[in-house]
Amino acid sequence: MTSAEHTDGFAPAAQVTITGRNVEVPEHFQERVNTKLAKIEKLDPTLTFFHVELQHEPNPRREAQAQRVQITATGKGHLARAEAKEDSFYAALESALGKLERSLRKVKVRREIARSGHRAPKSTGEIAAELAHEAEDARAKQAEGQYDTDPYAGTFEDAPLGQVVRRKLHPDTPISVDEALSEMELVGHDFYLFIDEESKRPAVVYRRHAYDYGLITLAPEDEVKANDEK
C-alpha cells in the first residue's frame, strides 16, 4: 500500500511516498513520518523525494526485530538510505531516522570542511566525538548477542552456496576521495567503489576502526611491488 504524498499538518516540501509490504499503513503513522521528515529535510534542502517502506519480517528467533522500516532520501545527484528493525514500526522509524540524520550531518560537516579548504583534526572536535560514540554503540550492540543467531536461517535452503545473487552497475564518473567518503556515509555502507579523479584509477574507500577510513587503489603490478619495497 502506498500513502498519499502528504497528509494534513506539518510536512516536508519534498515528495513523500510510504509503502507497506503486506502491511497496512495507518493515517496516524503517515502523519508521524511527514512530521519527522520535515525536520530531516532541513539538513539537506536539496532533497526532493523520500520513500519510506514498512515490512513485517516474521522470525520466531527475532521477534524483537520483526518490524522493518527503510527510508530512502533522494537529492540532487545523491541518495541517502537508512533502515532499522525493532519490535514496533514506531520504534523502527525512530531508529532509521536517527541513522539517516547522523549520515546527513556527517556529510554536511565534511562538505563544509572541504569548502573551507582545511580539515579538522581527526582526534579532536565534535566529529571525532560523535563517530567514536557511534563505534562504542556498535560494539555494545554486538556484545548483546545480536549475531548469536542467524536471522536468515532456513530462508535459503534451496539456494546453492557461494553464488553471485545480485549484480549492479555503478557510475564511473571520477570523483574525489572526500566525495567518495560522503557517498559512502549517505548510503550507510562500510565501503564505496569509485574512480579516483586524481589518479584516474579504480579505488575503494572503507570504514576502519572508530572514525578512521582506508583507501585501496588498483595499480600495475610493478608499481605495487615498488611501493611495497619502500
Side-chain angles (χ1 to χ4, degrees), residues 172-175 177 193-204 215-224:
D172 61 356
T173 305
I175 60 176
V177 173
L193 173 67
F194 68 107
I195 301 295
D196 189 337
E197 67 178 10
E198 183 176 346
S199 66
K200 308 303 181 185
R201 294 172 175 172
V204 171
L215 173 67
I216 299 174
T217 303
L218 294 183
E221 186 173 352
D222 55 347
E223 185 175 334
V224 174

mmCIF file of all heavy atoms in Angstrom, residues 172-175 177 193-204 215-224:
data_model
loop_
_atom_site.group_PDB
_atom_site.id
_atom_site.type_symbol
_atom_site.label_atom_id
_atom_site.label_comp_id
_atom_site.label_asym_id
_atom_site.label_seq_id
_atom_site.Cartn_x
_atom_site.Cartn_y
_atom_site.Cartn_z
ATOM 1 N N ASP A 172 30.837 5.490 -13.377
ATOM 2 C CA ASP A 172 32.300 5.558 -13.432
ATOM 3 C C ASP A 172 32.809 6.997 -13.552
ATOM 4 O O ASP A 172 33.953 7.231 -13.953
ATOM 5 C CB ASP A 172 32.839 4.718 -14.594
ATOM 6 C CG ASP A 172 32.338 5.199 -15.956
ATOM 7 O OD1 ASP A 172 31.506 6.141 -15.987
ATOM 8 O OD2 ASP A 172 32.765 4.637 -16.975
ATOM 9 N N THR A 173 31.964 7.950 -13.196
ATOM 10 C CA THR A 173 32.385 9.351 -13.215
ATOM 11 C C THR A 173 33.441 9.583 -12.134
ATOM 12 O O THR A 173 33.194 9.295 -10.959
ATOM 13 C CB THR A 173 31.193 10.279 -12.950
ATOM 14 O OG1 THR A 173 30.162 10.004 -13.896
ATOM 15 C CG2 THR A 173 31.621 11.736 -13.044
ATOM 16 N N PRO A 174 34.619 10.071 -12.486
ATOM 17 C CA PRO A 174 35.676 10.295 -11.481
ATOM 18 C C PRO A 174 35.232 11.296 -10.423
ATOM 19 O O PRO A 174 34.627 12.329 -10.739
ATOM 20 C CB PRO A 174 36.840 10.854 -12.316
ATOM 21 C CG PRO A 174 36.595 10.348 -13.703
ATOM 22 C CD PRO A 174 35.106 10.353 -13.855
ATOM 23 N N ILE A 175 35.527 10.981 -9.162
ATOM 24 C CA ILE A 175 35.228 11.878 -8.050
ATOM 25 C C ILE A 175 36.409 11.884 -7.096
ATOM 26 O O ILE A 175 37.304 11.040 -7.189
ATOM 27 C CB ILE A 175 33.943 11.467 -7.296
ATOM 28 C CG1 ILE A 175 34.095 10.056 -6.721
ATOM 29 C CG2 ILE A 175 32.729 11.564 -8.194
ATOM 30 C CD1 ILE A 175 32.901 9.623 -5.886
ATOM 31 N N VAL A 177 38.320 11.679 -3.275
ATOM 32 C CA VAL A 177 38.216 10.776 -2.131
ATOM 33 C C VAL A 177 37.185 11.310 -1.138
ATOM 34 O O VAL A 177 36.388 10.555 -0.579
ATOM 35 C CB VAL A 177 39.588 10.604 -1.451
ATOM 36 C CG1 VAL A 177 39.457 9.799 -0.159
ATOM 37 C CG2 VAL A 177 40.567 9.919 -2.394
ATOM 38 N N LEU A 193 32.957 2.036 -3.902
ATOM 39 C CA LEU A 193 33.796 1.873 -5.097
ATOM 40 C C LEU A 193 33.646 3.094 -5.995
ATOM 41 O O LEU A 193 32.531 3.557 -6.243
ATOM 42 C CB LEU A 193 33.378 0.614 -5.852
ATOM 43 C CG LEU A 193 34.016 0.368 -7.212
ATOM 44 C CD1 LEU A 193 35.511 0.077 -7.066
ATOM 45 C CD2 LEU A 193 33.324 -0.802 -7.911
ATOM 46 N N PHE A 194 34.775 3.628 -6.508
ATOM 47 C CA PHE A 194 34.711 4.819 -7.354
ATOM 48 C C PHE A 194 35.979 4.931 -8.200
ATOM 49 O O PHE A 194 36.927 4.162 -8.027
ATOM 50 C CB PHE A 194 34.564 6.083 -6.489
ATOM 51 C CG PHE A 194 35.794 6.405 -5.652
ATOM 52 C CD1 PHE A 194 36.619 7.474 -5.980
ATOM 53 C CD2 PHE A 194 36.126 5.631 -4.541
ATOM 54 C CE1 PHE A 194 37.747 7.782 -5.227
ATOM 55 C CE2 PHE A 194 37.244 5.931 -3.773
ATOM 56 C CZ PHE A 194 38.060 7.000 -4.120
ATOM 57 N N ILE A 195 35.980 5.880 -9.130
ATOM 58 C CA ILE A 195 37.166 6.221 -9.907
ATOM 59 C C ILE A 195 37.771 7.474 -9.288
ATOM 60 O O ILE A 195 37.124 8.512 -9.222
ATOM 61 C CB ILE A 195 36.840 6.477 -11.391
ATOM 62 C CG1 ILE A 195 36.194 5.238 -12.023
ATOM 63 C CG2 ILE A 195 38.114 6.870 -12.157
ATOM 64 C CD1 ILE A 195 37.098 4.035 -12.086
ATOM 65 N N ASP A 196 38.998 7.372 -8.815
ATOM 66 C CA ASP A 196 39.676 8.497 -8.176
ATOM 67 C C ASP A 196 40.023 9.544 -9.233
ATOM 68 O O ASP A 196 40.762 9.258 -10.184
ATOM 69 C CB ASP A 196 40.951 7.994 -7.488
ATOM 70 C CG ASP A 196 41.597 9.060 -6.604
ATOM 71 O OD1 ASP A 196 41.352 10.258 -6.839
ATOM 72 O OD2 ASP A 196 42.353 8.694 -5.699
ATOM 73 N N GLU A 197 39.493 10.763 -9.083
ATOM 74 C CA GLU A 197 39.726 11.792 -10.088
ATOM 75 C C GLU A 197 41.185 12.233 -10.144
ATOM 76 O O GLU A 197 41.632 12.796 -11.142
ATOM 77 C CB GLU A 197 38.824 12.998 -9.828
ATOM 78 C CG GLU A 197 39.133 13.773 -8.562
ATOM 79 C CD GLU A 197 38.237 14.989 -8.382
ATOM 80 O OE1 GLU A 197 37.257 15.111 -9.152
ATOM 81 O OE2 GLU A 197 38.506 15.790 -7.478
ATOM 82 N N GLU A 198 41.929 11.991 -9.062
ATOM 83 C CA GLU A 198 43.335 12.377 -9.040
ATOM 84 C C GLU A 198 44.210 11.361 -9.775
ATOM 85 O O GLU A 198 45.049 11.736 -10.605
ATOM 86 C CB GLU A 198 43.820 12.534 -7.603
ATOM 87 C CG GLU A 198 45.273 13.005 -7.494
ATOM 88 C CD GLU A 198 45.702 13.255 -6.069
ATOM 89 O OE1 GLU A 198 44.819 13.330 -5.192
ATOM 90 O OE2 GLU A 198 46.910 13.385 -5.826
ATOM 91 N N SER A 199 44.005 10.067 -9.476
ATOM 92 C CA SER A 199 44.833 9.029 -10.105
ATOM 93 C C SER A 199 44.199 8.444 -11.355
ATOM 94 O O SER A 199 44.872 7.760 -12.127
ATOM 95 C CB SER A 199 45.091 7.901 -9.103
ATOM 96 O OG SER A 199 43.886 7.227 -8.786
ATOM 97 N N LYS A 200 42.898 8.694 -11.551
ATOM 98 C CA LYS A 200 42.125 8.138 -12.670
ATOM 99 C C LYS A 200 42.069 6.615 -12.601
ATOM 100 O O LYS A 200 41.884 5.947 -13.622
ATOM 101 C CB LYS A 200 42.711 8.570 -14.029
ATOM 102 C CG LYS A 200 42.911 10.067 -14.185
ATOM 103 C CD LYS A 200 41.628 10.843 -13.988
ATOM 104 C CE LYS A 200 41.841 12.345 -14.167
ATOM 105 N NZ LYS A 200 40.637 13.131 -13.858
ATOM 106 N N ARG A 201 42.189 6.061 -11.408
ATOM 107 C CA ARG A 201 42.181 4.607 -11.235
ATOM 108 C C ARG A 201 41.011 4.178 -10.348
ATOM 109 O O ARG A 201 40.547 4.958 -9.521
ATOM 110 C CB ARG A 201 43.493 4.145 -10.585
ATOM 111 C CG ARG A 201 44.718 4.350 -11.460
ATOM 112 C CD ARG A 201 45.973 4.043 -10.665
ATOM 113 N NE ARG A 201 47.179 4.110 -11.494
ATOM 114 C CZ ARG A 201 48.410 4.036 -11.013
ATOM 115 N NH1 ARG A 201 48.596 3.892 -9.709
ATOM 116 N NH2 ARG A 201 49.444 4.088 -11.824
ATOM 117 N N PRO A 202 40.558 2.918 -10.518
ATOM 118 C CA PRO A 202 39.524 2.406 -9.617
ATOM 119 C C PRO A 202 40.046 2.372 -8.181
ATOM 120 O O PRO A 202 41.203 2.027 -7.935
ATOM 121 C CB PRO A 202 39.270 0.984 -10.137
ATOM 122 C CG PRO A 202 39.759 0.994 -11.550
ATOM 123 C CD PRO A 202 40.926 1.935 -11.565
ATOM 124 N N ALA A 203 39.201 2.744 -7.243
ATOM 125 C CA ALA A 203 39.609 2.776 -5.842
ATOM 126 C C ALA A 203 38.404 2.465 -4.955
ATOM 127 O O ALA A 203 37.250 2.546 -5.380
ATOM 128 C CB ALA A 203 40.194 4.139 -5.481
ATOM 129 N N VAL A 204 38.697 2.089 -3.730
ATOM 130 C CA VAL A 204 37.661 1.800 -2.742
ATOM 131 C C VAL A 204 38.022 2.491 -1.431
ATOM 132 O O VAL A 204 39.150 2.346 -0.943
ATOM 133 C CB VAL A 204 37.514 0.282 -2.492
ATOM 134 C CG1 VAL A 204 36.584 0.023 -1.299
ATOM 135 C CG2 VAL A 204 36.985 -0.420 -3.725
ATOM 136 N N LEU A 215 41.844 3.498 2.193
ATOM 137 C CA LEU A 215 41.726 3.706 0.746
ATOM 138 C C LEU A 215 42.548 2.640 0.027
ATOM 139 O O LEU A 215 43.738 2.478 0.303
ATOM 140 C CB LEU A 215 42.223 5.101 0.353
ATOM 141 C CG LEU A 215 42.319 5.397 -1.152
ATOM 142 C CD1 LEU A 215 40.930 5.414 -1.772
ATOM 143 C CD2 LEU A 215 43.025 6.735 -1.391
ATOM 144 N N ILE A 216 41.912 1.903 -0.873
ATOM 145 C CA ILE A 216 42.581 0.901 -1.700
ATOM 146 C C ILE A 216 42.486 1.351 -3.147
ATOM 147 O O ILE A 216 41.401 1.685 -3.630
ATOM 148 C CB ILE A 216 41.935 -0.483 -1.542
ATOM 149 C CG1 ILE A 216 42.031 -0.962 -0.091
ATOM 150 C CG2 ILE A 216 42.607 -1.495 -2.467
ATOM 151 C CD1 ILE A 216 41.292 -2.269 0.162
ATOM 152 N N THR A 217 43.629 1.367 -3.841
ATOM 153 C CA THR A 217 43.664 1.793 -5.238
ATOM 154 C C THR A 217 44.295 0.710 -6.092
ATOM 155 O O THR A 217 45.315 0.126 -5.716
ATOM 156 C CB THR A 217 44.478 3.091 -5.400
ATOM 157 O OG1 THR A 217 43.928 4.103 -4.559
ATOM 158 C CG2 THR A 217 44.464 3.573 -6.848
ATOM 159 N N LEU A 218 43.696 0.424 -7.251
ATOM 160 C CA LEU A 218 44.290 -0.534 -8.185
ATOM 161 C C LEU A 218 45.431 0.130 -8.945
ATOM 162 O O LEU A 218 45.333 1.292 -9.346
ATOM 163 C CB LEU A 218 43.231 -1.035 -9.170
ATOM 164 C CG LEU A 218 42.089 -1.888 -8.587
ATOM 165 C CD1 LEU A 218 41.168 -2.354 -9.702
ATOM 166 C CD2 LEU A 218 42.641 -3.081 -7.833
ATOM 167 N N ALA A 219 46.523 -0.625 -9.134
ATOM 168 C CA ALA A 219 47.699 -0.101 -9.833
ATOM 169 C C ALA A 219 48.417 -1.254 -10.519
ATOM 170 O O ALA A 219 48.226 -2.420 -10.155
ATOM 171 C CB ALA A 219 48.636 0.602 -8.842
ATOM 172 N N PRO A 220 49.280 -0.961 -11.535
ATOM 173 C CA PRO A 220 50.056 -2.003 -12.193
ATOM 174 C C PRO A 220 50.913 -2.769 -11.181
ATOM 175 O O PRO A 220 51.347 -2.218 -10.166
ATOM 176 C CB PRO A 220 50.927 -1.228 -13.183
ATOM 177 C CG PRO A 220 50.149 0.024 -13.447
ATOM 178 C CD PRO A 220 49.492 0.356 -12.145
ATOM 179 N N GLU A 221 51.171 -4.043 -11.461
ATOM 180 C CA GLU A 221 51.881 -4.907 -10.521
ATOM 181 C C GLU A 221 53.268 -4.379 -10.174
ATOM 182 O O GLU A 221 53.689 -4.440 -9.013
ATOM 183 C CB GLU A 221 51.993 -6.319 -11.096
ATOM 184 C CG GLU A 221 52.585 -7.331 -10.121
ATOM 185 C CD GLU A 221 52.534 -8.738 -10.662
ATOM 186 O OE1 GLU A 221 51.911 -8.953 -11.719
ATOM 187 O OE2 GLU A 221 53.132 -9.633 -10.025
ATOM 188 N N ASP A 222 54.002 -3.846 -11.163
ATOM 189 C CA ASP A 222 55.353 -3.357 -10.887
ATOM 190 C C ASP A 222 55.315 -2.147 -9.945
ATOM 191 O O ASP A 222 56.194 -1.984 -9.078
ATOM 192 C CB ASP A 222 56.076 -2.994 -12.187
ATOM 193 C CG ASP A 222 55.306 -1.994 -13.030
ATOM 194 O OD1 ASP A 222 54.117 -1.768 -12.736
ATOM 195 O OD2 ASP A 222 55.900 -1.437 -13.972
ATOM 196 N N GLU A 223 54.282 -1.316 -10.078
ATOM 197 C CA GLU A 223 54.149 -0.162 -9.194
ATOM 198 C C GLU A 223 53.811 -0.607 -7.770
ATOM 199 O O GLU A 223 54.301 -0.042 -6.798
ATOM 200 C CB GLU A 223 53.062 0.779 -9.714
ATOM 201 C CG GLU A 223 52.944 2.068 -8.930
ATOM 202 C CD GLU A 223 51.937 3.025 -9.533
ATOM 203 O OE1 GLU A 223 51.697 2.932 -10.765
ATOM 204 O OE2 GLU A 223 51.402 3.881 -8.795
ATOM 205 N N VAL A 224 52.987 -1.648 -7.674
ATOM 206 C CA VAL A 224 52.642 -2.177 -6.357
ATOM 207 C C VAL A 224 53.870 -2.742 -5.670
ATOM 208 O O VAL A 224 54.101 -2.504 -4.475
ATOM 209 C CB VAL A 224 51.553 -3.263 -6.476
ATOM 210 C CG1 VAL A 224 51.300 -3.922 -5.132
ATOM 211 C CG2 VAL A 224 50.257 -2.665 -7.023
#
